[in-house]
Amino acid sequence: LTLNLEPGSLHDLVSDTLEAFRAQADEKRLRLQGHVDGQLPPVLMDHARVQRVLVNLVQNAIRHTPPDGSILLEAAEEPDAVRVDVVDTGEGIAPDDLPHIFERFYRGEKSRARGQGGAGLGLAIVHGLIQAHGGRVWAESAPGRGARFSFVLPKATA
């Protein structure tokens, strides 16, 4: 995997992602919101690859959140990194599945038809891309309580 790393704004990527999914969220009666800390520092990133991460995470949130639910995409500064969270009010993830969701081809809900879920690659792609950027990704969830997918990317150095 070759990355084209350069300092960039997560603020712009969050805004672009929200705009790209607004119609899909509206169609499903989901509240899609974003919040970005005022002056986020730039991060060293491959713009297209981090956009892919956000797309995968928001697509999953839309897929797994019932009508009238909400999805929040937010970014905030941490001491050495910038953190991005995608938080939904969806169905949540079973505790037995949570440790495996970033594995290739893993699909937690065995009864889910292929037409309803993906191929089990989206979160593996997210994991690989964030690791390639020197960041880390994780998820927190409980059945019936939604999910929070988070990742951090190192700040660009001057």
Side-chain angles (χ1 to χ4, degrees), residues 29-103:
R29 295 190 336 257
L30 297 173
R31 287 178 306 284
L32 180 60
Q33 301 171 308
H35 175 73
V36 177
D37 280 355
Q39 296 296 323
L40 277 184
V43 296
L44 195 60
M45 67 176 168
D46 181 316
H47 181 93
R49 302 294 172 91
V50 175
Q51 183 74 61
R52 173 76 185 267
V53 166
L54 291 174
V55 164
N56 286 4
L57 293 176
V58 173
Q59 276 180 334
N60 281 352
I62 289 173
R63 181 181 301 127
H64 296 290
T65 302
D68 300 318
S70 65
I71 299 165
L72 174 63
L73 176 53
E74 57 187 352
E77 184 175 2
E78 293 196 341
D80 296 319
V82 173
R83 176 178 169 154
V84 177
D85 297 294
V86 178
V87 184
D88 67 55
T89 59
E91 61 204 31
I93 302 166
D96 289 346
D97 292 329
L98 201 54
H100 305 287
I101 59 172
F102 294 105
E103 296 172 9

